[in-house]
Amino acid sequence: VRWMMYWIVFALFMATETFTDLLISWFPFYYEVKMAFVLWLLSPYTRGASLLYRRFVHPTLTRKEKDIDTFLIRTRERSYETMVHFGKRGLNLAATAAVQAAAKSQGALARRLRSFSMQDLRSIPDEG
């Protein structure tokens, strides 16, 4: 559980770090403070990640639990519909490609047979 709390808090830190690096990286000792913060999160003595998780992240997730569940259900339904839609499109494209390939090969076979004269066709031994 301790590692789960750490990784969730660390992921949130990394997401916010993307923007803060652009805005305040010029601040003196910014990178040193950032490294000290990560060590504070990770340290078993300070338990910074557990503190932040219990004080901020968990209450926020608890308040938004119904919204998150609704979002996940809608996303699952949309992903299923999208998968079915693209699956049908893929099968249609594959069927079209197969029909076109068969039509082209039939045309090549017909051109090949037309290139023979009747005498050439009569000279082919009959296997039957």
Side-chain angles (χ1 to χ4, degrees):
V1 171
R2 188 179 127 229
W3 283 109
M4 178 208 59
M5 287 186 232
Y6 168 75
W7 283 112
I8 290 172
V9 172
F10 185 73
L12 292 171
F13 167 71
M14 292 297 292
T16 57
E17 179 191 28
T18 304
F19 301 109
T20 58
D21 275 354
L22 296 172
L23 299 175
I24 59 172
S25 63
W26 55 269
F27 200 70
F29 301 109
Y30 170 72
Y31 293 103
E32 289 80 4
V33 170
K34 194 164 71 168
M35 189 170 21
F37 178 72
V38 171
L39 288 173
W40 178 76
L41 286 177
L42 187 59
S43 174
Y45 300 110
T46 60
R47 296 186 180 179
S50 297
L51 178 75
L52 290 177
Y53 182 85
R54 287 189 178 118
R55 190 157 297 167
F56 298 106
V57 177
H58 185 70
T60 303
L61 290 176
T62 304
R63 277 195 317 270
K64 303 283 185 175
E65 186 174 4
K66 288 184 181 181
D67 296 335
I68 293 169
D69 289 342
T70 304
F71 175 78
L72 290 174
I73 289 170
R74 266 190 289 140
T75 302
R76 186 183 319 146
E77 290 170 356
R78 285 183 191 163
S79 65
Y80 177 75
E81 292 169 2
T82 303
M83 184 183 70
V84 168
H85 172 73
F86 283 117
K88 285 180 182 178
R89 284 186 65 193
L91 288 174
N92 284 339
L93 287 172
T96 303
V99 168
Q100 287 176 349
K104 284 181 182 178
S105 66
Q106 287 292 336
L109 181 63
R111 281 194 301 276
R112 175 83 177 168
L113 288 176
R114 283 191 199 124
S115 69
F116 290 124
S117 66
M118 281 307 287
Q119 187 172 357
D120 292 335
L121 290 175
R122 285 189 201 118
S123 67
I124 298 174
D126 190 16
E127 294 180 17

